[in-house]
Amino acid sequence: MLYCTGTYLVKPPQRQGTWAVRQGCDLVASELLVNAPDLVVCLDPDLLIEAIGGDAEAFLGLASQELLGRSAIELIHNEDQERVMANMKRFEDGQETYRPELRLLHSDGYSVVVEVVGRRLNRPDGTHFLLVARRQLGLGVRQVADDIGIGILRCDPDGEIHESNAAASVQHGYEGEELSGRIQDLRVQVQGHPEDSVDANLHPALRYLEDAGVSSQVATIVGRDGVSRVISFDGRRVKYREDGTPGIIMLLREVTELHQMQEELYRRSTRDDLTGLLKRSTFIQAAESLLEATVQQSGEQPGGSSLFGVLFCDIDRFKSINERHGHGEADRFLAQISADLAQFGTNTAQLGTNTAQLDTNTEASLSAGGTTSIHLGRIGGDEFALAVQCSNRAEFDRLAAGFRASVQRTALATLHVLVTASVGVAEFDPEVGQTVEELLDEANAVLRLAKGTGRDQILHCDASLRAVRSEQKRLEGVLRAALSAGRIEYALQPVVDPYTGQISGAEALARLRDDNGSLVPAAKWIEVAVSAGLSSAVDAAVVEPVIELLGSLVGRCPRGLPVIGVNLSDTSLARPDLAEWIFSLLERHQVDPGAFLVEVPELVLPVIRERAAEALRQFREKGLWLAVDDFGSGYASFNEVRDLPLNTLKIDRSFLTEQRDSADYIILRTALEMTHALGCRSVAEGVETQAELEIVMDLKVDYVQGYLLARPMPPDDFVRLLLSDRPLAPQRIEHEDG
Ligand code: C2E
Ligand code: CA
Ligand code: CA
C-alpha cells in the first residue's frame, strides 16, 4: 500500500535491506550513516536513543555523543509530543501509515520541521525503531502558514483528511490523526447571506470532489471547543497519486470578524437605521415569500385556515409632532413604537435571516392570538407595515389595535400629548390573487380613507373599496392615454364683476373624456392624477393652450385681455424651471403677464414657502396674478398668506351662506375683510343662488364665479361670449355641470 508523507510518496519497505559495495570501494556502512544528510536514529522500546547518525548538529544543535541515552520525545516540540507518542504507539501496534511531520527543538531555541519515515526492528527485548528524519521541503512556508493562522488540510480522493497543520487544528479543534474519519462529525454549516442555502453537515471537502477545479466558500465550523468560527475554505484539486487520482488541498482562513462586518453591512442595507425594522424593498421580499408559503399551505390542506394580510399603520398628524417636539424627540417616539411592534414578532431582532420565524417565546403568545408568522417594515417616515400570516381573521384587528395602543401609550408617556393612529388592512383574497405590493396599495388606500374620515380608526379594504380602486386604475389608464395623445381638454368658467355683469376673466379647468366620449367629473380623476404622479403633466396640458388662447385674443378684446387663471398642483409648483417655463410661453405668444393668473391651493402653502417662494416672487415682479385657491378650507394662518406675494383670495364655496345670522356668515365677512386688509382682490367661488350673491355683494366681494352666472364652458364658447361684450345676468340652475 502507498502511504503519504509530507511531500511525496514512498513505498514502505517490504523486506530487510542489504549492504552492498562495488568491488574496490572501501566505504563502510557506518561511514554512510555518519555522512547522511538526514538524521538517522535508533530508539529502544522506551524510546531512548541508542544509536544516532547523520547531521545531529544541524538538526538539534548537539553532537551525536551528547544525545545517546536521551529520550527522543524530549527532543520534540512540546505541542507535538502527545500526538507523536500516540502515533508511535499505533506504529508499534502494527499500523503501517505514520504521521510524519513534527517539530524538533534545536538547542538554539528554534524548531525544525521534519518528516519522519520509520521502520520497526523486532528484537528479543521488544520493538526498536529505526527512524530517518528529513528536513521538510517548504518548511518556511508551512511555518508561516501556522504563524499567520492559515490552516492547511490535505485530503485523499475520498475527501478524508490525511494531514493538517497546527493552524487548522486551532480552527476545528481536532488534532492530526483524530481528524481522519471525523469529517462527517465536523459540524460544518455553509453559511452566507439569507439567499444561500444552509447545508448542514456537509463538509466542503466532499463537495469539492463533485465539482472540478477550484472551489471556495465560507462556512461556519463548530469546533470541538463549541466555538463557532466562520472559515473561508479554498479548495484546489491536486495530483494525489501518481496515476493522476486527484486529492484536495484546502486552505482555511478564519474570517469571523470580516463576516460579522459583512453581516452588519447587509443588515444596514436591508434594515432601517432608526428602528431596525425592514426597509420597504426587503419587507416586500420577505412578505412575498410568506404569502407564497401561505398559498402553498392552503393548497396542501384545502379548507385549512391560513390567512395572509398586510396592515398599513400610520400615526395621525405626525408632521405636527415633528414640528412641535423637534426631530430628535419624534425619532425617539418612532423608535419606541418600533420596539413595541418588534414584540409582535422576533424577526426584527435577528440579523440576516429572511424567513424569520418566531422564536419559541413569542410563538406561545402569538399563537394564542392566531398569528403564525409576521414581518415588520418601516416604509415611510411614520408609516409601518405588517405582513401577517394567521389562522383567525380577528387577528388583524388585534394587531392593529396593538399598534394604536402603543402609539397612544408612548405619546402620553414621552410627549405628554394624546396622539392617535390609523390602520388600513388588506387581506389576501385567493379569488383576486393580489401581490404584496397590491395589498400594500390597497391597505394604503383604506388608510387614506381612514385619514379622510376623521382618522383614529382601523379600516379594512373590502369588495366595494376594491371596486373603487379598480375604477381608479382604469381611469389612470384613460388619463395616461389622453396625456400622451394630447387629448386633455379644458373648460373656461367666467369670473364676473357682479356689480356690472362684465366678464373680467375665467378659470381654466382640466377636462378628461372617457373612452365612451363622456366627460369624467374632475372630482373623480384629479385625485387619480395626483396619486399617479401625473398632476404636473395635467397642469401643463392646460397652461400651454390657455396662454396660446390669450395670444390669439391679443388686440381683439374691447376691454383688454381677460385674466385667465390656471390651477397649479404642488408638483408643478416644485418644478425648478417653473418661472422660466411660464415666462417663455408668455413671451412666445406675446401675452401681457397681467392677463395670467396662477391659482395655488391653500393646502399647499407650506410647500410653496419652502420650494416655490422664489418663483412666486418672480411672477409678481413680472405682473402675474397670484391667487390662493379654496381659501378657508385649509388652516392657513394670516401670516402665511401675508408673507407670500399673493394678490387674490378665492373664497371657498363652503363659506357661502344665505343666512346673515349664521356662523358661516361671520367667517365669510372676516375672510373678505381680511382680503381687503391684505390689499388683495377677492373672488367668491361657487355662487349658486341669488341670496348668496346678494350677501357676498353686501360684503363687497370684488368678483364672483359660480353656476348662477356661468358654468364652465368650451374655450370657443367663452371667446364668443367675451367678444360679444354682453353683461352676464344671474340664471336659473337646473342641472349639474357636465
Ligand atoms: P377648483 O379649482 O376649486 O375649481 C372650481 C370648481 O368648482 C370646478 O370644479 C368648478 O366646476 C366648480 N364650480 C364652479 N361653480 C360652481 C358652483 O356654482 N357650484 C358648485 N358646486 N361648483 C362650482 P371642477 O371643474 O370639477 O374641478 C374640481 C377641481 O379640480 C378644481 O377645483 C381643481 O382643484 C381641480 N382642477 C381642475 N382643473 C385642474 C388643473 O388643470 N390642474 C389642477 N392641478 N387641478 C385642477
Ligand atoms: Ca381653482
Ligand atoms: Ca377653488
Side-chain angles (χ1 to χ4, degrees), residues 507-509 566-567 599-600 629-630 650 685 705:
E507 173 175 3
L509 296 157
V566 295
N567 294 283
E599 295 192 11
V600 177
D629 200 1
D630 310 328
K650 298 192 76 171
E685 277 195 305
Q705 177 184 348

Side-chain angles (χ1 to χ4, degrees), residues 240-278:
Y240 189 80
R241 285 192 195 134
E242 255 137 36
D243 64 5
T245 316
I248 301 150
I249 286 283
M250 279 199 287
L251 297 185
L252 281 63
R253 262 177 318 122
E254 183 172 352
V255 291
T256 309
E257 268 178 42
L258 185 74
H259 190 72
Q260 281 165 351
M261 207 167 80
Q262 279 173 341
E263 287 281 310
E264 176 60 15
L265 285 176
Y266 179 73
R267 195 191 77 81
R268 288 195 194 174
S269 71
T270 55
R271 282 174 189 276
D272 171 55
D273 279 346
L274 177 66
T275 63
L277 302 184
L278 297 174

Side-chain angles (χ1 to χ4, degrees), residues 573 600-621 625-629 631 636-649 678-680:
L573 289 162
V600 177
E602 187 193 72
L603 267 174
V604 308
L605 288 185
V607 179
I608 293 166
R609 268 237 292 245
E610 264 175 42
R611 293 193 276 174
E614 176 55 22
L616 296 200
R617 208 186 45 69
Q618 291 178 24
F619 284 166
R620 288 293 298 125
E621 244 167 43
W625 291 94
L626 287 180
V628 178
D629 200 1
F631 183 66
S637 68
F638 180 78
N639 289 346
E640 233 164 10
V641 176
R642 191 197 51 197
D643 293 347
L644 288 167
L646 304 157
N647 54 13
T648 306
L649 296 191
L678 286 165
C680 293

Side-chain angles (χ1 to χ4, degrees), residues 189-267:
Q189 247 194 0
V190 177
Q191 197 191 56
H193 286 316
E195 307 79 66
D196 301 349
S197 64
V198 171
D199 195 350
N201 297 326
L202 178 59
H203 194 283
L206 302 177
R207 197 171 285 192
Y208 296 151
L209 287 173
E210 291 163 15
D211 327 328
V214 182
S215 177
S216 70
Q217 59 194 166
V218 172
T220 299
I221 289 188
V222 183
R224 178 153 67 173
D225 51 9
V227 176
S228 293
R229 294 180 182 83
V230 183
I231 306 290
S232 142
F233 287 84
D234 245 303
R236 198 168 294 261
R237 279 183 170 217
V238 291
K239 197 169 100 175
Y240 189 80
R241 285 192 195 134
E242 255 137 36
D243 64 5
T245 316
I248 301 150
I249 286 283
M250 279 199 287
L251 297 185
L252 281 63
R253 262 177 318 122
E254 183 172 352
V255 291
T256 309
E257 268 178 42
L258 185 74
H259 190 72
Q260 281 165 351
M261 207 167 80
Q262 279 173 341
E263 287 281 310
E264 176 60 15
L265 285 176
Y266 179 73
R267 195 191 77 81

Side-chain angles (χ1 to χ4, degrees), residues 568 571-584 598 611-612 615-616 618-619:
L568 290 189
T571 34
S572 290
L573 289 162
R575 274 177 70 153
D577 64 340
L578 176 65
E580 200 184 314
W581 170 54
I582 293 200
F583 292 156
S584 73
V598 168
R611 293 193 276 174
L616 296 200
Q618 291 178 24
F619 284 166

Side-chain angles (χ1 to χ4, degrees), residues 79-80 82-84 86-87 90 95 98-101 103 152-154 160-183 186 224:
E79 284 175 17
D80 295 347
E82 207 178 307
R83 174 168 59 90
V84 170
N87 285 334
R90 275 191 287 269
Q95 179 179 311
Y98 181 57
R99 297 257 121 216
E101 194 175 300
R103 285 168 287 180
I152 301 172
L153 297 180
R154 192 181 151 93
E160 191 150 310
I161 298 169
H162 269 240
E163 242 192 302
S164 78
N165 70 343
S169 297
V170 171
Q171 288 158 352
H172 48 59
Y174 295 96
E175 293 269 336
E177 188 96 323
E178 284 179 310
L179 207 57
S180 15
R182 279 196 178 271
I183 283 174
L186 274 184
R224 178 153 67 173

